[in-house]
Amino acid sequence: MRERQQLEERITGIRDLESRLEDNIGLVELGEEEDDAEVVKEAEDALRTMKQDIDRRQIELLLSGEADANDTYIEIHSGAGGTESQDWANMLMRMYTRWAERHGMKVEVLEVHYGEEAGIKSVTLLVKGHNAYGWLKTESGVHRLVRISPFDSQARRHTSFSSVWVYPVVDDTIEIDIPDSDVRIDTYRASGAGGQHVNTTDSAVRITHLPTNIVVQCQNERSQHKNRATAWEMLRSRLYEEELKRREEEASDVEASKTEIGWGHQIRSYVLQPYQLVKDLRTGVESTSPQDVLDGSLDPYMEAALAHRVHGSDLEVEDIA
């Protein structure tokens, strides 16, 4: 039913574009015949708006992967640097939450480890919405921040790193077999707010996949059984994402982006001082308004990264930018 609805929406959208195109071309011809510049201008403006709609639909056509339409998990980990990097990880969590809200998606915090003074050491978010994984999958990598530190009494400039890892929620149509002998399950007490019950029982669950050393954790539910079920879903999703990455690397010989959280591995730089610039190092897309980007204006970066991943050329990236 979901696939049928999506196909119907696409067909309706194309028919609507065809109708609008014919109507506006007719208006341009009519305005030129009657020498009415105002009618011509109105029709030309409508055609420019149509061009933007078509560009957006072209990008959505790139979201044709097996799991692109699914919900997604986002893991954010602070790099070396203590409070500074932990605050940066917290800023990234807010950025992706704001982006999701702008697109009508829901965000749940599944697991979070807070820093001692400020920020977060790590967090796992669940983003629910159509094409959530398709849009966010290009955000995996190391993100670099340069700013005057609010935690430095001498107001010096600091560079901070945090890593982002995105993997899809696996639905029942994708079968993944995980033998019990391949996992280790640990329970522990949840950290942070949650009330007396949560903080006095071993309700949090950690699952380690021994062959790959993948670790997933969940502590947002009061019940250990619910946390265990969610953790299993996360593990299945991580293993599926690993398989997708392996296939992509075999096809294109692309090196994995999940590497050391530091210099030489970042995908995007956010510079707040001494100048203001956000630059994607893969596609070259730039913005001189970092605050807008940190408030969730990520679409130009995602669109360019998707086009670059599919086409592997600069032409499409420049057209989108």
Side-chain angles (χ1 to χ4, degrees), residues 20 47 53 86 100-101 104 133 141 168 187 216 227 230 241 244-245 255 261 264 267 307 311 317:
R20 288 163 58 191
L47 288 171
D53 292 344
Q86 291 165 14
E101 291 172 348
Y133 174 67
T187 58
V216 294
N227 283 331
T230 301
E241 193 272 340
L244 288 181
K245 186 178 68 173
E255 292 296 328
I261 306 177
I267 63 168
H311 300 292
V317 175

Side-chain angles (χ1 to χ4, degrees), residues 56 59 99 103 135 296-305 320:
R56 178 76 178 184
I59 293 297
W99 176 87
H103 290 77
W135 282 111
S297 296
L298 293 168
D299 285 359
Y301 297 94
M302 293 178 178
E303 291 169 1
I320 293 169

Side-chain angles (χ1 to χ4, degrees), residues 161-222:
F161 298 94
S162 288
S163 69
V164 175
W165 199 244
V166 181
Y167 51 99
V169 174
V170 177
D171 55 32
D172 295 335
T173 63
I174 301 173
E175 295 183 5
I176 298 177
D177 182 33
I178 308 174
D180 292 340
S181 59
D182 285 353
V183 299
R184 184 180 71 244
I185 301 177
D186 302 305
T187 58
Y188 59 98
R189 292 185 182 179
S191 61
Q196 183 178 1
H197 171 78
V198 170
N199 293 324
T200 58
T201 62
D202 292 339
S203 59
V205 176
R206 179 190 298 114
I207 301 179
T208 304
H209 187 249
L210 301 176
T212 61
N213 204 32
I214 290 175
V215 180
V216 294
Q217 304 174 90
C218 185
Q219 64 175 21
N220 67 314
E221 301 287 350
R222 292 168 59 89

Side-chain angles (χ1 to χ4, degrees), residues 121-134:
K121 295 179 180 179
S122 65
V123 66
T124 302
L125 305 176
L126 171 58
V127 181
K128 296 181 177 181
H130 179 57
N131 282 337
Y133 174 67

Side-chain angles (χ1 to χ4, degrees), residues 272-311:
L272 305 186
Q273 279 98 11
Y275 53 90
Q276 296 202 331
L277 179 69
V278 178
K279 181 174 182 177
D280 194 290
L281 305 179
R282 302 162 300 176
T283 63
V285 173
E286 298 181 352
S287 170
T288 55
S289 181
Q291 195 55 54
D292 288 343
V293 177
L294 293 173
D295 278 338
S297 296
L298 293 168
D299 285 359
Y301 297 94
M302 293 178 178
E303 291 169 1
L306 282 169
H308 187 72
R309 171 178 286 198
V310 172
H311 300 292

